[in-house]
C-alpha cells in the first residue's frame, strides 16, 4: 500500500533535502550503490557544469548529486540495462526521470533489462534544456541554478530562467512529468519547495524502503495530495495543448513524401539519434549491415531514375525503419533531437508517429510493465480494413 | 513412377478426398486422386466462409512435415504433391479384383483445352458467343461455353462445355497458345445411324446432326439398319421403337449380338416410355421422347460422343480404393414445392445464398436481390427443407444446416453492418459440435439474429414487390404471417451425384436413403475389404468430422497397402538427404553472372516487345551478361533445347522468363544437379500474364500495341528476378542438419476404446506403441456401456479389442500408470511414467496420442445425489438397467430431463451423446414395459444424421416430448414418495405436472484432462477443458505443438463409432511422423544470426508453431527446423535482422522492390 509523507526543506535548499534522503538510502545495508546525476567537477571548474549519471558507492560523494539540474545528457535507461541485463548480485538504487523509467520498462519487456536488483527513485520532472542550451546557461554555480530553475518552473515561469532559453521541446510537450512507475516518488508539484517536498512509496519495494527509512504516513496527506493532483492536471493539460500544436505543425511539415524528405534533408547518417535512443536495443543496427551495403551500380540506377540522388542515400529509409521498429516503444524523451548535430527535429516526428501507432494498438509505451508488447500478441479480428479480410 | 500403378485410388477431390490423398501421400504412398469435375474442392470451392472463424482455411490441411513435397499455397486454387497424381474430369467406370490388387478403369473426359498450354488469358471467353447459366454460381449468373470451372484455380485453365458450344471456332482461332483443340475432336469420324420409318424424322435428325459435323446415315427399317451395320462401323445408332416388322427393341438385340460396343439411343413416344426403359436394361444407352427438338437431341449426342470417342480410358492397378464423392443437396423444386423455389424470384437455397455473399458471386458479394437489384433488408432462413421429413424419404437430419444458417445470418449481419434483419425458422437448433453452442448464442445475443421455433406453413408471393409472405405455426399453435424480401432454404442432404452408380461399380450396399453403408462401429470400412469410405459419402458431415473420417479412411487404406500391397515407395527422406549433400559448385566468390532465357511463347511475345530494346535495357546491369530468346520452354522438346542453350553459356545464375513458375519447381531441382548449380541460383518469373492481359485488352480495339510499355513491364519483372538471384544464398548451409532423427514409436495415453484403437492402428503398421492407462484395466467407458442405440454390443467390441491388444506384441500396456513428465518435440519426445510402486519408466517416442476420454458430469441439480434414489443420471440408469436393479416392469412413469447443467455457462456445449442415450434407454424401457409412460423434457433434440430415425421411432412409441427454455427450468417436488415434475408445456401454453417414479438426468460429458497433463505436454485446453485443436475445422486432431494428437472424448464428446474414427485418424497423423527415419526440414525455414541477436525473444512470442526456444545455457534462440513452417512472423518482428527467413533476406527483398519501382517510375 502506498504511503506518503512530507519532508521539510531547510534553508530554502530543496536539493540538500533530496541529497540527505538519497544519502540515507545509500546507507541502507542492502543498497550497494546509487545511480544518479552528479556534477563532475573538472579542474577549477572553468569548463562549466558537467552533470552526468554516476554510480556512487561512497556516501560522502552524495553532496555532488544533482538530479534536479535542468539537464538531461542521456537517457539513463540504457545504463540501467547495462547494470541489470544479467544478475549483479547486489541491489542498487537508481534515480531516474519519468521518461527514463518509462524507457526502462520497455527495455525490461524487451528483456534487455531487469527490475529485480534495482529500486527506482523518481522525482517529479521539471524538464531540462537541450545539451547545447544548458552548456550556454550553466557556467557558474550549479546548485544556485538548480534552485532558481525549480522555483521558477513550479511558479509557471516561461522561460524558466529569465532571459534564458526555453526548455527542450521534448520536455515542453511531455505529458508524463510524474514518474508513476517509480518505487519511491519525490514530489515537487503542488509543494512549496522552499519548505517541504513530498515522499511517497508506490510499490511494495518502495514501501519496504519507506518503512526502513523510518518514515510514517503523514496525517495531512489526503488534502495535500488532492491539491497536488489539481496542480499536476493543470500542468499536463498545458503540455498537451502545446503538444497538439506541435503535432499539427509536424503533420503539416511531413505529410507528403517530398516534405518528409525535406524534413530529413540535413541527415548525414551519423546515427547519433539511434545511439541516443534508449529503446533502440539492437546489437547491430541493420543499417550497419550488408543489407545497406549496396552495389555501386545501384547508386547509378537511382540517380538515373530521378535525375540525381542525394547522398548519403537511405536517410529517409533509415528514419522510417527506426519509426517502424521503435515507435511502439518510443517514450518521447527527446534524446534523438538532443543528439542530432544538424538540429533536425527528430523527436517531434517520432513522438507524433508514436502517438498514432501506440493508439492503434491501444498501447502506451512505458505505462505498464504487464501490458504485453503489441507485436508479441495476436488478435484474430484486428485491422480488418487493413489486412483485407472481409 | 509408373503412372498406371498407385497404392490407392481416391475417388472425389473435395476436402475429404484431398485429406485422404495428402495423408497417404505424406506416408509416401502413391495416390491417384480423381474428380468428376474439372476442378478440386467439391462443395467447399463454392463456400468462401466457414464458421467459427467466418473465413476459409483450407490451406491448413497442407502437410506441415516434409512440406516441400507439396505445393504451399491456397488449396482452393490447386494441389500439387509429388506422390499425388491428380486427374480431373475423371470418373471411375469399373472396378475388379480384391484388396491389394484392384484394377480400376478410369474415364477422363477431355476439356478440349490443353491445361498445360492454357495460360488463362481469357481471350477465348471474350469471343465466345454462347452464354448459359453458371453452375459455379448455382445458376445465379451466366457464363460462356468456354469458361473457368472455378474463378480462383492455379493453373486456371479454361474448359469447354461442349453441350453449350456451337463449335464456331472463334476461341480456337484467337487462342494465343494453341491450347484449344476443338477442331481435333474429329466428329466426321463419328458415324451415326438414324433408324426411323418416318422420312421427316430421319431428315431432320440428319440435318441437325450434320450441322454438328457428325457423319450421319439413315435406315428406313430394322432390316435396312442391320444391313448398314454389317457394312460399316458405326459408333452410335438412334432408333425408333415402333417400326413395322422389326421393332426398335428387336433391332437393338440383333445389333448388339454382332457389335456389343455399339451405343444405342431409343426414340419413343410418351406412351411407350416403359418399353424404352426396358430397352435400357438390355443395353440401350438412353432414350428420347418424341417429339423432341435439336436442343434435346444434340446435347445428348454430343455427350455420348464425348463419352465414347473423346474419353481417355485408362486402367490402373491399386491396393485400395477410397470413396469420397461427398453428398449432393435436395432439390426443393419438387412436386410439392410449398416454398415456391424456382417460381418465386427471391427464394434461394443455402448454397445459392453462399454464392450471393461471395466476392466471386453473381453480385460480387453485394447483398442485393437478383431480380430487381434492390438491397436486401429482411431475410428468413427456413430449416429442414428436405430433411427430417418422412414424406420426402428423409427421416434423417442433415446435420450441418443449422450451423450453416447461423453462419449465413451472422455473415449477413456483418456484411450489412447489422442493417439486415435475419430470422431463422427452425424446429430444433442442432448445435452438437465443439464450439457450436457458443456460436449460436453469439448469433442470438451479440449479432441479434432472431430464432423462431415453429413449423412453416407456406410461402407466398407479393406479386407487386416480389416480397414473400411466410406463414408459420408458432410453438403455441398460433398461425402467424410475416413479410420478408428473401428466403433461404436449408436444403438437406441427398446421396452424392452418382452414388448409386458408384455403389454398383464397387458392389457395395447402401443404407435406406442411398448413402454408402459402412460396417458396424466403423464410419469408414465397408463390407468389401479394401474399399473404404471417407467423408460425407456415408452421410453429411461438417468439415472437421469429414476430415477426421478422411484421415481414418487413410489409416484403414494404409493398413491395406501395408498388409496386402506393401508397395510403399522408397522413403523419400533418404534420397532427400543425399540431395542435400549434393555438391554444388561454389559460386559465392565469383562475380554475379546472370544468364536470362526468355520464352517467346511461339513467337507471340515478339508482337509485344522489341527484343533489341529489351536486351539493351537488361544488359545495362553489369550482372546480366547474356539474354537468350527461345520458343516454348514449357514443352518437353522446348525444355531439352533449353538445357542445351543453358550449357552453352558461362553463368552462375539463371533466370527464366516464362509463365506459370510453379510448374518448373521440379525441373529446376533436376537442372541444378546437371549444372552443379544450387537451385537457389535458378528462378522462373512470369512475364507472360501481363502480356496476355494486355493483348486481351487491346484485342478488339484495333489499337497499335505500345511496345515501349510492354517491354518495360517485362524488364521490371526480369530485373526483379535478377535482383533476387543476385542476393541468393546457398540453401543448404554446411552446418544444416539433415533432419531430425525420429524414434519410431508412439505413446498413447488412455486405455479406453479410442486409445486402444489408436494403439492398434499404429502397431498394425509395424511400429511400437506404449499404451498408458491410469486404472488397473483397459476399456474406459465401455466397461459400463453395454450396447449402442442401434443395438450393437459394446461388450463384444471391448472383448474383441482387448484380445487384439493382448495379441499384438508391439503394444506394451502400462496399467496403473501416470505421466510424470514429457520433454522434446515431434520425432523426439521423452516421457517418464510411474506405476503404482512409483517406479519410473522412461519412454522415447516420436509421436503422442492423447486419448484420456471423459466421464458423465456429476450434478447436484434436481437434488441428485441426495437421499432420493429416484433421481438418477443416464449412466446410472444404464448400469441399473443392465444389472437389473431397476425393473422397467415396475415403472409406470419416467421423466428424462435433458441438458442438465449443459449448453449453458459454464458448461456451454452440447455433449452430443445424451439425447441418443436417453432415447435408447426410453425405448428399452418401452420395449420391456409398453405401459410405462416416458416423458422427455428437452431443449433441442440432438439427433443428428441417421439418429433422427430413433427420434421418429420414439414418437411413434408414444414417448412424449416437451421442450423447455432455460429461463423456465423444470422443477421437482416430492409428494408422498412420488416425484412431481413441474414444467411448462409450450404447445398447450400452460404449466403441467407429471407424476414420476423416476427422473433421469442427462448431465453431459466432461473431459478427463487434468491441467497438469496439458502443461507437461505444452499444449492447451479449450474453455471447457477439452483438447484444444490447432484449428477447429481443418486440423481437428492436431495440437498446435506438432507431434501431439488427440482422439476420442478428450477431443470432443461423441459416439463409440466417432471415437473409433477419431482414434484411427489420430493413429494416422502419428504414423505420418514415426514412419519416417528422419523429419526433414523444408528449404524455407527461419534461422537466427546469433551475433546479431539481442535476445529480446519477441520472435519466440510470435512464433505460432512453437518452433523457437531460448537455450538458457547457450543463451541462444534456437529454431526447430521441422516445426518451423517458414511463415516469417519472427523475421517481421525482429528489428535486428537477427531472425531471417531463408530465401527472403532483407537485401533480396529490397533489391526486388527497387527493381520493380525502378521500372514503374522510369
Amino acid at each position: 500500500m502506498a504511503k506518503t509523507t512530507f519532508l521539510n526543506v531547510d534553508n530554502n535548499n530543496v536539493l540538500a533535502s533530496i541529497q540527505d534522503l538519497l544519502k540515507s538510502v545509500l546507507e541502507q545495508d542492502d543498497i550497494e550503490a546509487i545511480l544518479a546525476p552528479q556534477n563532475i567537477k573538472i579542474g577549477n571548474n572553468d569548463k562549466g557544469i558537467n552533470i552526468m549519471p554516476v554510480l556512487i558507492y561512497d556516501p560522502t560523494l552524495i553532496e555532488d548529486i544533482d538530479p534536479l539540474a535542468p539537464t538531461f545528457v542521456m537517457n539513463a535507461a540504457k545504463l540501467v540495462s547495462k547494470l541489470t541485463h544479467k544478475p549483479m548480485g547486489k541491489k542498487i538504487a537508481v534515480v531516474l526521470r519519468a521518461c527514463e523509467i518509462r524507457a526502462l520498462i520497455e527495455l525490461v519487456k524487451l528483456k534487455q533489462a531487469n527490475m529485480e536488483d534495482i529500486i527506482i527513485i523518481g522525482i517529479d520532472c521539471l524538464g531540462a534544456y537541450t545539451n547545447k542550451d544548458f552548456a550556454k546557461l550553466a557556467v557558474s554555480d550549479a546548485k544556485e541554478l538548480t534552485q532558481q530553475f525549480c522555483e521558477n518552473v513550479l511558479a509557471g515561469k516561461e522561460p524558466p530562467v529569465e532571459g534564458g532559453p526555453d526548455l527542450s521541446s521534448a520536455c515542453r510537450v511531455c505529458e508524463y512529468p510524474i514518474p508513476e512507475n517509480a518505487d519511491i516518488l519525490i514530489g515537487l508539484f503542488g509543494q512549496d519547495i522552499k519548505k517541504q517536498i513530498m515522499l511517497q512509496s508506490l510499490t511494495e519495494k518502495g514501501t519496504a524502503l519507506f518503512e526502513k527509512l523510518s518514515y510514517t504516513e503523514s496525517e495531512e496527506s489526503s488534502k495535500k495530495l488532492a491539491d497536488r493532483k489539481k496542480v499536476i492536471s493543470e500542468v499536463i493539460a498545458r503540455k498537451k495543448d502545446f503538444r497538439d500544436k506541435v503535432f499539427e505543425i509536424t503533420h503539416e511539415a511531413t505529410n507528403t513524401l517530398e516534405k518528409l524528405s525535406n524534413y530529413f534533408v540535413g541527415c548525414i547518417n551519423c546515427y547519433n539519434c539511434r545511439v541516443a535512443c534508449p529503446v533502440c536495443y539492437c546489437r547491430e543496427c541493420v543499417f550497419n549491415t550488408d543489407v545497406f551495403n549496396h552495389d555501386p551500380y545501384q547508386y547509378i540506377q537511382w540517380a538515373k531514375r530521378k535525375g540525381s540522388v542525394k547522398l548519403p542515400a537511405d536517410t529517409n529509409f533509415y528514419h522510417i525503419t527506426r519509426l517502424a521498429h521503435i515507435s511502439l516503444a518510443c517514450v518521447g524523451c527527446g534524446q534523438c533531437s538532443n543528439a542530432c548535430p544538424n538540429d533536425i527535429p527528430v523527436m517531434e516526428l517520432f513522438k507524433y508517429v508514436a502517438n498514432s501507432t501506440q493508439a492503434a494498438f491501444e498501447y502506451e509505451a512505458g505505462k505498464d510493465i504487464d501490458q504485453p508488447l503489441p507485436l508479441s500478441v495476436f488478435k484474430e479480428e484486428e485491422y480488418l480494413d487493413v489486412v483485407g479480410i472481409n | 513412377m509408373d503412372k498406371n500403378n498407385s497404392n490407392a485410388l481416391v475417388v472425389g477431390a473435395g476436402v475429404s478426398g484431398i485429406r485422404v490423398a495428402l495423408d497417404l501421400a505424406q506416408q509416401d504412398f502413391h495416390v491417384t486422386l480423381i474428380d468428376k469435375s474439372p476442378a478440386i474442392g467439391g462443395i467447399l470451392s463454392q463456400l468462401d466462409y466457414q464458421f467459427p472463424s467466418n473465413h476459409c482455411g483450407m490451406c491448413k490441411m497442407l502437410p506441415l512435415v516434409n512440406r516441400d513435397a507439396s505445393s504451399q499455397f491456397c488449396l482452393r486454387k490447386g494441389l500439387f504433391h509429388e506422390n499425388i497424381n491428380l486427374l480431373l474430369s475423371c470418373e471411375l467406370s469399373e472396378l475388379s479384383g480384391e484388396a491389394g490388387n484392384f484394377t480400376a478403369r478410369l474415364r477422363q473426359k477431355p476439356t478440349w483445352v490443353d491445361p498445360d498450354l492454357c495460360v488463362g488469358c481469357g481471350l477465348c471467353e471474350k469471343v465466345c458467343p454462347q452464354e448459359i447459366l453458371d453452375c459455379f454460381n448455382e445458376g445465379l449468373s451466366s457464363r460462356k461455353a468456354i469458361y473457368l470451372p472455378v474463378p480462383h484455380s492455379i493453373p486456371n485453365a479454361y474448359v469447354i462445355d461442349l453441350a453449350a458450344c456451337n463449335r464456331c471456332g472463334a476461341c480456337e482461332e484467337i487462342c494465343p497458345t494453341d491450347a484449344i483443340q476443338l477442331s481435333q475432336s474429329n466428329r466426321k469420324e463419328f458415324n451415326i445411324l438414324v433408324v426411323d420409318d418416318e422420312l421427316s424424322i430421319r431428315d431432320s435428325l440428319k440435318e441437325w446432326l450434320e450441322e454438328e459435323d457428325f457423319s450421319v446415315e439413315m435406315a428406313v427399317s430394322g432390316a435396312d439398319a442391320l444391313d448398314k451395320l454389317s457394312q460399316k462401323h458405326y459408333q452410335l445408332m438412334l432408333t425408333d421403337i415402333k417400326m413395322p416388322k422389326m421393332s426398335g427393341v428387336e433391332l437393338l438385340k440383333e445389333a448388339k449380338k454382332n457389335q456389343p460396343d455399339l451405343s444405342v439411343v431409343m426414340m419413343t413416344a410418351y406412351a411407350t416410355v416403359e418399353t424404352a426403359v426396358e430397352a435400357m436394361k438390355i443395353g440401350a444407352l438412353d432414350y428420347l421422347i418424341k417429339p423432341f427438338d435439336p436442343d434435346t437431341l444434340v446435347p445428348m449426342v454430343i455427350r455420348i460422343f464425348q463419352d465414347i470417342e473423346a474419353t481417355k480410358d485408362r486402367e490402373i492397378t491399386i491396393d485400395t480404393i477410397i470413396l469420397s464423392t461427398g453428398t449432393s443437396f435436395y432439390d426443393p423444386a419438387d412436386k410439392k414445392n410449398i416454398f415456391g423455389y424456382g417460381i418465386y424470384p427471391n427464394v434461394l437455397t443455402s448454397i445459392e445464398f453462399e454464392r450471393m455473399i461471395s466476392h466471386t458471386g453473381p453480385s460480387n458479394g453485394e447483398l442485393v436481390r437478383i431480380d430487381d437489384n434492390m438491397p436486401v433488408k429482411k431475410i428468413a432462413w427456413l430449416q429442414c427443407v428436405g430433411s427430417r421429413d418422412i414424406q420426402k424419404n428423409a427421416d434423417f437430419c442433415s446435420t450441418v444446416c443449422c450451423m450453416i444458417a447461423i453462419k449465413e445470418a451472422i455473415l449477413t449481419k456483418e456484411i450489412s453492418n447489422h442493417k439486415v434483419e435475419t430470422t431463422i425458422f427452425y424446429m430444433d437448433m442442432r448445435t452438437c459440435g465443439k464450439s457450436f453452442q457458443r456460436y449460436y448464442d453469439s448469433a442470438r445475443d451479440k449479432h441479434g439474429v432472431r430464432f423462431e421455433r415453429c413449423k412453416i406453413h407456406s410461402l407466398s408471393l407479393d406479386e407487386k414487390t416480389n416480397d414473400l409472405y411466410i406463414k408459420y405455426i408458432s410453438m403455441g399453435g398460433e398461425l402467424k404471417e410475416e413479410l420478408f424480401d428473401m428466403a433461404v432454404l436449408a436444403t438437406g442432404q441427398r446421396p452424392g451425384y452418382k452414388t448409386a452408380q458408384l455403389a454398383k461399380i464397387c458392389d457395395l450396399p447402401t443404407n435406406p436413403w442411398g448413402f454408402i453403408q459402412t460396417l458396424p462401429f466403423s464410419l469408414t470400412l465397408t463390407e468389401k475389404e479394401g474399399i473404404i469410405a471417407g467423408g460425407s459419402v456415408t452421410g453429411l458431415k461438417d468439415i472437421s468430422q469429414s476430415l477426421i473420417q478422411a484421415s481414418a479412411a487413410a489409416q484403414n487404406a494404409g493398413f491395406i497397402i501395408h498388409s496386402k500391397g506393401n508397395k510403399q515407395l522408397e522413403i523419400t527422406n533418404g534420397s532427400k538427404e543425399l540431395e542435400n549433400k549434393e555438391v554444388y559448385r561454389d559460386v559465392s566468390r565469383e562475380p554475379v553472372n546472370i544468364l536470362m532465357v526468355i520464352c517467346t511463347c511461339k513467337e507471340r511475345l515478339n508482337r509485344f516487345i522489341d527484343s533489341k530494346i529489351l536486351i539493351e535495357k537488361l544488359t545495362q546491369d553489369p550482372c546480366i551478361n547474356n539474354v537468350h530468346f527461345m520458343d516454348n520452354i514449357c514443352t518437353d522438346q522446348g525444355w531439352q533445347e533449353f538445357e542445351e542453350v543453358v550449357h552453352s553459356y558461362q553463368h552462375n545464375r539463371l533466370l527464366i522468363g516464362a509463365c506459370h513458375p510453379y510448374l518448373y519447381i521440379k525441373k529446376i531441382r533436376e537442372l541444378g544437379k546437371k549444372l552443379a548449380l544450387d537451385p537457389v541460383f535458378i528462378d522462373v518469373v512470369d512475364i507472360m500474364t501481363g502480356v496476355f492481359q494486355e493483348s486481351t485488352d487491346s484485342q478488339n480495339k484495333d489499337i497499335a500495341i505500345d511496345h515501349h510499355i510492354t517491354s518495360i513491364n517485362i524488364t521490371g519483372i526480369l530485373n526483379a528476378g535478377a535482383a533476387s538471384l543476385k542476393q541468393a544464398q546457398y540453401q543448404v548451409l554446411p552446418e544444416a542438419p539433415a533432419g531430425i532423427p525420429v524414434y519410431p514409436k508412439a505413446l498413447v495415453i488412455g486405455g479406453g476404446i479410442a486409445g486402444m484403437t489408436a494403439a492398434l492402428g499404429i502397431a498394425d503398421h509395424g511400429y511400437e506403441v506404449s499404451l498408458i492407462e491410469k486404472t488397473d484395466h483397459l476399456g474406459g467407458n465401455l466397461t459400463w456401456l453395454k450396447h449402442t442405440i442401434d443395438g450393437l454390443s459394446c461388450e463384444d467390441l471391448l472383448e474383441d479389442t482387448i484380445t487384439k491388444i493382448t495379441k499384438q506384441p508391439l503394444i506394451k500396456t502400462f496399467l496403473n500408470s501416470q505421466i510424470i513428465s514429457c520433454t522434446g518435440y515431434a520425432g523426439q519426445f521423452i516421457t517418464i511414467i510411474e506405476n503404482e510402486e512409483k517406479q519410473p519408466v522412461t519412454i522415447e517416442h516420436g509421436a503422442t496420442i492423447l486419448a484420456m476420454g471423459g466421464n458423465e458430469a456429476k450434478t447436484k441439480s434436481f437434488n441428485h445425489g441426495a437421499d432420493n434414489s429416484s433421481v438418477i443420471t443416464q449412466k446410472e440408469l444404464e448400469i441399473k438397467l443392465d444389472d437389473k436393479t431397476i425393473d422397467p416392469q415396475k415403472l409406470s412413469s419416467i421423466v428424462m430431463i435433458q441438458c442438465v447443467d449443459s449448453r449453458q455457462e459454464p458448461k456451454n456445449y452440447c455433449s452430443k451423446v445424451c439425447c441418443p442415450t436417453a432415447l435408447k434407454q426410453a425405448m428399452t424401457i418401452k420395449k420391456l414395459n409398453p405401459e410405462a409412460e416416458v416423458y422427455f423434457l428437452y431443449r433441442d433434440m440432438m439427433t443428428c444424421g441417421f439418429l433422427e430415425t430413433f427420434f421418429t421411432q420414439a414418437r411413434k412409441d408414444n414417448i412424449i416430448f416437451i421442450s423447455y427454455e432455460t429461463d423456465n427450468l423444470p422443477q421437482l417436488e416430492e409428494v408422498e414418495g412420488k416425484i412431481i415434475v413441474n414444467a411448462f408445456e409450450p404447445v398447450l401454453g400452460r404449466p403441467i405436472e407429471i407424476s414420476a417414479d423416476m427422473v433421469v438426468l442427462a448431465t453431459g460429458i466432461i473431459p478427463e484432462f487434468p491441467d497438469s497433463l496439458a502443461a507437461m505436454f505444452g499444449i492447451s485446453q479449450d474453455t471447457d477443458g477439452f483438447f484444444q485443436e490447432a484449428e477447429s475445422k481443418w486440423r481437428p486432431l492436431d495440437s498446435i505443438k506438432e507431434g501431439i494428437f488427440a482422439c476420442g472424448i478428450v477431443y470432443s464428446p461423441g459416439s463409440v463409432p466417432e471415437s473409433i474414427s477419431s482414434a484411427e485418424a489420430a493413429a494416422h497423423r502419428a504414423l505420418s511422423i514415426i514412419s519416417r527415419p528422419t523429419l526433414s526440414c523444408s528449404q524455407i525455414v527461419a534461422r537466427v544470426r546469433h551475433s546479431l541477436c539481442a535476445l529480446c525473444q519477441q520472435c519466440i512470442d510470435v512464433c505460432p508453431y512453437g518452433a523457437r526456444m531460448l537455450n538458457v545455457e547457450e543463451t541462444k534462440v534456437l529454431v526447430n527446423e521441422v516445426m518451423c513452417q517458414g511463415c516469417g512472423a519472427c523475421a517481421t518482428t525482429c528489428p535486428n535482422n537477427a531472425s531471417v527467413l531463408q530465401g527472403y533476406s532483407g537485401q533480396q527483398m529490397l533489391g526486388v522492390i527497387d527493381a520493380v519501382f525502378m521500372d514503374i517510375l522510369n
Side-chain angles (χ1 to χ4, degrees), chain B residues 446-464:
Chain B
K446 190 177 142 208
H447 296 279
V449 177
R450 178 181 145 214
F451 289 85
E452 194 68 53
R453 189 173 204 157
C454 64
K455 284 211 158 140
I456 297 296
H457 177 275
S458 63
L459 217 124
S460 55
L461 184 72
D462 179 329
E463 294 195 354
K464 278 191 201 131

Side-chain angles (χ1 to χ4, degrees), chain A residues 110-112 281-284 286 290-292 297-298 301-302 304-305 317 325 373 375-376 380 389, chain B residues 49 53 55 620-622 1090-1098 1101-1102 1135-1137 1147 1150 1154 1158 1161:
Chain A
L110 290 163
K111 307 204 169 52
Q112 306 299 306
Y281 68 98
C282 290
R283 270 198 193 174
E284 182 74 280
V286 64
D290 273 355
V291 175
F292 291 90
Y297 171 70
Q298 186 74 56
Q301 287 277 83
W302 284 329
K304 197 172 147 198
R305 182 206 297 170
F317 197 6
H325 285 173
L373 293 168
L375 292 188
S376 66
E380 198 165 346
I389 296 171
Chain B
Y49 311 98
S53 64
H55 303 141
Q620 280 173 5
D621 184 337
H1090 301 292
S1091 60
L1092 294 177
C1093 176
L1095 294 169
C1096 73
Q1097 300 168 46
Q1098 286 199 83
D1101 289 336
V1102 298
N1136 202 2
N1137 248 24
Q1147 272 162 303
L1150 291 177
D1154 248 321
M1158 188 72 71
L1161 298 176

Side-chain angles (χ1 to χ4, degrees), chain B residues 1004-1111:
Chain B
I1005 289 182
I1006 50 166
E1008 181 71 37
F1009 194 7
D1011 297 353
S1012 55
L1013 195 61
M1016 260 183 254
F1017 283 100
I1019 58 167
S1020 345
Q1021 293 161 278
D1022 71 8
T1023 328
D1024 302 307
F1026 291 95
F1027 170 79
Q1028 177 66 62
E1029 57 274 56
E1031 218 281 340
S1032 66
K1033 286 219 138 23
W1034 303 99
R1035 294 176 63 200
L1037 304 178
D1038 299 16
S1039 71
I1040 254 299
K1041 191 167 169 189
E1042 186 63 34
I1044 301 177
F1045 310 96
C1047 60
I1049 287 176
V1050 80
Y1051 154 65
S1052 170
S1055 64
V1056 176
E1058 278 167 343
S1059 284
I1060 290 174
S1061 173
S1062 68
E1064 290 168 340
H1068 194 271
R1069 305 291 300 142
L1071 277 169
S1072 68
I1073 289 177
I1074 61 172
S1075 64
R1076 313 184 147 270
T1078 58
L1079 296 177
S1080 59
C1081 63
S1082 164
Q1083 299 202 342
I1084 299 169
V1085 289
R1087 299 189 190 285
V1088 181
R1089 297 197 279 189
H1090 301 292
S1091 60
L1092 294 177
C1093 176
L1095 294 169
C1096 73
Q1097 300 168 46
Q1098 286 199 83
C1099 56
I1100 297 177
D1101 289 336
V1102 298
C1103 178
Y1105 302 97
R1108 287 177 162 253
M1109 54 179 262
L1110 178 71
N1111 181 316

Side-chain angles (χ1 to χ4, degrees), chain B residues 130 132 162-166 204-205 208-209 211-212 288-289 291-303:
Chain B
Q130 297 295 94
I132 61 153
L162 225 48
C165 171
N166 68 350
S204 47
L205 255 64
W208 296 340
L209 290 171
E211 205 166 276
E212 292 291 327
L288 281 161
I289 297 168
F292 48 80
D293 55 26
D295 289 346
T296 322
L297 170 81
V298 171
M300 180 192 272
V301 172
I302 288 171
R303 206 187 64 228

Side-chain angles (χ1 to χ4, degrees), chain A residues 53-338:
Chain A
V54 173
L55 186 66
I56 302 159
Y57 180 82
D58 180 354
T60 62
L61 297 174
I62 287 285
E63 64 178 41
D64 287 322
I65 284 186
D66 190 355
L68 296 176
T71 179
F72 180 33
V73 287
M74 70 175 294
N75 191 311
K78 276 201 151 171
L79 302 173
V80 178
S81 160
K82 286 198 186 304
L83 292 169
T84 62
H85 73 283
K86 282 180 188 163
M88 71 175 111
K90 300 286 181 186
K91 291 220 174 340
I92 58 168
V94 294
V95 181
L96 297 176
R97 286 178 186 271
C99 56
E100 292 176 311
I101 300 172
R102 293 171 58 242
L104 178 61
I105 284 176
E106 288 305 298
L107 289 175
V108 169
K109 290 191 203 183
L110 290 163
K111 307 204 169 52
Q112 306 299 306
N114 200 300
M115 295 280 201
E116 237 161 62
D117 291 336
I118 57 169
I119 181 147
I120 302 171
I121 298 168
I123 306 173
D124 280 0
C125 184
L126 303 181
Y129 296 105
T130 64
N131 291 354
K132 283 176 193 165
D133 284 346
F134 183 74
K136 279 183 230 156
L137 202 63
V139 285
S140 56
D141 185 355
K143 289 179 183 171
E144 175 55 33
L145 176 63
T146 298
Q147 181 70 22
Q148 191 193 349
F149 172 82
C150 291
E151 282 175 24
N152 289 354
V153 170
L154 289 168
K157 286 192 184 162
E158 278 182 71
V161 175
E162 218 173 296
D166 277 324
L167 287 179
S168 77
S169 37
C171 296
R172 294 179 78 198
V173 300
C174 175
E175 63 278 56
Y176 301 99
I178 312 300
E180 284 167 3
N181 284 305
D183 296 303
I184 292 273
L185 167 63
I186 298 169
L188 306 175
F189 285 109
Q191 320 296 318
D192 178 359
I193 57 161
K194 285 178 188 164
K195 290 189 181 125
Q196 67 171 29
I197 52 175
M198 185 199 76
L199 183 72
Q200 200 171 35
S201 70
L202 300 177
T203 62
E204 262 178 44
K205 241 194 239 179
T207 305
L209 180 63
F210 187 94
E211 285 165 356
K212 267 183 147 178
L213 294 170
S214 310
Y215 294 118
T216 48
E217 173 97 48
S218 162
E219 281 163 22
E220 39 180 1
S221 66
S222 66
K223 177 173 183 304
K224 283 190 175 175
L225 286 179
D227 290 349
R228 171 177 153 83
K229 205 173 165 188
K230 201 168 149 246
V231 172
I232 291 170
S233 63
E234 281 165 13
V235 169
I236 292 176
R238 223 166 44 230
K239 293 199 174 223
K240 276 190 175 164
D241 277 351
F242 187 63
R243 178 197 70 178
D244 293 343
K245 276 181 204 132
V246 170
F247 281 176
E248 221 167 283
I249 294 164
T250 308
H251 173 81
E252 195 47 48
T254 55
N255 60 2
T256 66
L257 207 54
E258 202 188 347
K259 285 191 200 169
L260 187 70
S261 299
N262 288 336
Y263 197 84
F264 287 119
V265 74
C267 177
I268 54 167
N269 276 2
C270 71
Y271 302 145
N272 283 0
C273 49
R274 186 196 75 211
V275 177
C277 178
V279 291
C280 249
Y281 68 98
C282 290
R283 270 198 193 174
E284 182 74 280
C285 178
V286 64
F287 281 86
N288 285 352
T289 64
D290 273 355
V291 175
F292 291 90
N293 194 6
H294 306 292
D295 275 353
Y297 171 70
Q298 186 74 56
Y299 291 99
I300 305 287
Q301 287 277 83
W302 284 329
K304 197 172 147 198
R305 182 206 297 170
K306 296 186 198 161
S308 68
V309 59
K310 187 210 89 176
L311 293 176
D314 299 324
T315 49
N316 283 351
F317 197 6
Y318 160 71
H319 290 287
I320 290 170
T321 303
R322 231 169 65 74
L323 277 171
H325 285 173
I326 61 97
S327 77
L328 285 168
C330 174
V331 295
C333 71
Q335 286 302 347
C336 43
S337 287
N338 210 3

Side-chain angles (χ1 to χ4, degrees), chain B residues 306-322:
Chain B
Q306 284 199 62
D307 278 353
I308 296 171
E309 262 327 78
T311 302
K312 282 181 240 159
D313 256 29
R314 69 171 91 193
E315 231 175 44
I316 62 167
T317 318
I318 44 177
D319 301 322
T320 177
I321 175 169
I322 298 98

Side-chain angles (χ1 to χ4, degrees), chain B residues 731-753:
Chain B
Q731 293 276 21
V732 187
L733 301 174
E735 74 271 23
I740 293 178
V742 176
Y743 298 129
K745 296 173 192 169
L747 178 78
V748 177
I749 306 170
I753 188 66

